[in-house]
Amino acid sequence: MLKTRFLKLLTTKLGDDRFLLTAQDEHGRSMSPFKWKNLVFSSHEESFFGTALDEMTVDDVEGVVVNGWQLVSLFAKESFNRFIEWDWNEESEICLAAANSMYEGIVEKDWHPDFSVWGPDGEFHWKLPERVMDEFHPEFWEQMVHGDGSSASSPADEVVHGDDSRASSEADEVRHENRPHASPTALNYISDLYNSALDSFLTRNNAAKELFGPKLDLLKKQNLSGLELARYFDEESWLEWVGIKESEAPFTIGLRLDEPEDGDGDWSLDVFLRGKKNIDEIVDVEDVKRIPARWRP
C-alpha cells in the first residue's frame, strides 16, 4: 500500500554541472531517498530507473545526484506517480517549465555552438535553441532564480556511495563549488542547464563523441576568436561541417597544388569542384562553361 501521498521535489544546482534532488513531506520535513527515489525514477530510463544514481548528504539533507541530461529528461517526460500530490521548489518549477522544449532540442539535434562565449582558452558552450526561447515571454527569462532555503545549497558533509577517499574528494569539491553567489536569471540558469544536458547526452553517445570530439579539438587549436568563428559559421554550415547534416550542394570543393609545366617558376593553387555522385567528374571553378547546369543555382 502506498503510504506517501504528498511529495515536494527540490532541485539544487551544484557547481560542477550536477544537480541535487531532495524531497520533503507535507510538513516540510526532509525525506530519505529510500522513501521517494523509486516514486520519482520508476519510469526514468536515462538513469536506469534510478539504479545508476549516487546519493549525497548536503547540510544534513539526503538527496540524489543527477547530471543535466538526466534532469531534463526526467522533467520533460513527467512520468510521476499520479497517486502522489506533487509540489516543487523554484528551481524545480523553472526546470519543469522549460524541460520539454530542451529535451526536443537535444533529441532533434538542435546542437549549435554559442560563439559569443568562446574564450581565448577555447571554452565551448552550447547555444540555447530558439525553440526554447520562444516558449516564454521575456519576463520569464528576466526573473531571478533564487535558491530555496530548504534545499541543499551549502557545503557537502558526506557522499553516501563510494569509498572514503572518493567521498572526501567529492565533498571537498562541493564545498568549493557551492560558495554563495548571485542569483542567476532564468535565462542564464536554463542556458547553463541546456549546455550541461547536451554535454551529458553527447558523453553517453559514442557516435556523437567521435563526431564532435575531433572537430572541437581542431577549433580550439586554431586560436580563433568567437567573433571570427561566428562570421564563418551559420547554423546550416555548422551542422554540415560537423557531419550532422549533409550539404544539399551536388558537389564538394577541393584544392589542387600544381607544379609549373617547365619545372621552373611558381606553383599554382587551383580550386575545383568534384561531383558527389560521380567523384571522377571534376571541373575547375574558372572553367565556367564546363560547370554542369544541374550544379548551378
Side-chain angles (χ1 to χ4, degrees):
M1 180 178 178
L2 185 63
K3 295 182 179 180
T4 303
R5 297 296 183 183
F6 175 94
L7 198 152
K8 182 175 182 179
L9 195 62
L10 303 96
T11 302
T12 300
K13 182 180 179 181
L14 302 178
D16 53 356
D17 293 330
R18 297 185 303 167
F19 299 80
L20 184 69
L21 296 181
T22 56
Q24 294 177 349
D25 62 18
E26 62 270 27
H27 303 293
R29 295 176 301 205
S30 297
M31 300 173 62
S32 167
F34 176 78
K35 296 182 179 180
W36 58 266
K37 188 175 179 180
N38 289 340
L39 296 174
V40 173
F41 296 100
S42 60
S43 300
H44 190 238
E45 297 180 9
E46 288 77 5
S47 65
F48 295 98
F49 311 103
T51 60
L53 300 176
D54 286 338
E55 296 177 12
M56 178 183 289
T57 299
V58 177
D59 199 24
D60 295 327
V61 178
E62 294 180 84
V64 174
V65 179
V66 296
N67 61 38
W69 171 241
Q70 291 166 340
L71 182 67
V72 167
S73 57
L74 175 68
F75 283 155
K77 296 179 180 180
E78 294 189 55
S79 300
F80 301 112
N81 192 303
R82 61 189 179 90
F83 295 107
I84 300 293
E85 179 184 350
W86 295 90
D87 194 12
W88 325 92
N89 73 334
E90 184 178 9
E91 289 189 53
S92 294
E93 288 179 340
I94 293 289
C95 295
L96 192 62
N100 187 62
S101 54
M102 285 193 289
Y103 181 87
E104 291 178 350
I106 291 174
V107 298
E108 295 177 13
K109 298 183 179 180
D110 209 343
W111 306 343
H112 306 292
D114 186 357
F115 290 124
S116 67
V117 297
W118 183 273
D121 57 349
E123 180 183 355
F124 188 86
H125 199 280
W126 295 106
K127 183 179 179 181
L128 187 65
E130 290 297 327
R131 71 172 78 199
V132 183
M133 296 290 297
D134 293 341
E135 283 284 318
F136 307 97
H137 292 292
E139 292 80 5
F140 173 87
W141 296 114
E142 295 168 2
Q143 66 178 306
M144 307 303 292
V145 181
H146 302 288
D148 192 306
S150 58
S151 63
S153 58
S154 56
D157 295 322
E158 63 175 316
V159 177
V160 175
H161 292 312
D163 57 35
D164 292 341
S165 60
R166 177 173 176 266
S168 176
S169 175
E170 291 202 16
D172 289 342
E173 182 181 345
V174 174
R175 288 190 183 95
H176 174 74
E177 296 290 352
N178 283 350
R179 291 171 180 170
H181 57 278
S183 298
T185 63
L187 177 58
N188 291 336
Y189 188 95
I190 294 299
S191 294
D192 287 344
L193 174 55
Y194 185 81
N195 178 68
S196 172
L198 183 47
D199 268 346
S200 302
F201 176 83
L202 295 176
T203 298
R204 64 194 289 271
N205 187 317
N206 290 330
K209 282 194 295 185
E210 293 177 0
L211 183 68
F212 276 98
K215 295 294 180 70
L216 294 182
D217 289 341
L218 178 62
L219 283 185
K220 292 176 182 179
K221 293 177 181 178
Q222 302 308 307
N223 197 29
L224 297 172
S225 68
L227 182 60
E228 290 172 314
L229 292 172
R231 287 173 177 170
Y232 182 80
F233 287 114
D234 58 19
E235 292 187 355
E236 291 296 317
S237 61
W238 165 260
L239 293 177
E240 292 172 3
W241 186 69
V242 297
I244 296 176
K245 180 180 179 180
E246 185 174 352
S247 171
E248 296 179 357
F251 55 81
T252 59
I253 301 175
L255 297 175
R256 181 179 59 240
L257 185 63
D258 293 327
E259 61 179 315
E261 294 182 0
D262 57 3
D264 295 323
D266 297 330
W267 290 57
S268 63
L269 184 64
D270 300 321
V271 181
F272 66 88
L273 307 178
R274 182 193 297 270
K276 287 183 177 178
K277 292 184 177 180
N278 179 11
I279 60 175
D280 294 327
E281 188 175 20
I282 299 176
V283 180
D284 288 337
V285 293
E286 295 182 356
D287 194 355
V288 179
K289 293 182 179 180
R290 291 192 59 236
I291 297 178
R294 65 182 184 280
W295 289 9
R296 301 174 185 270

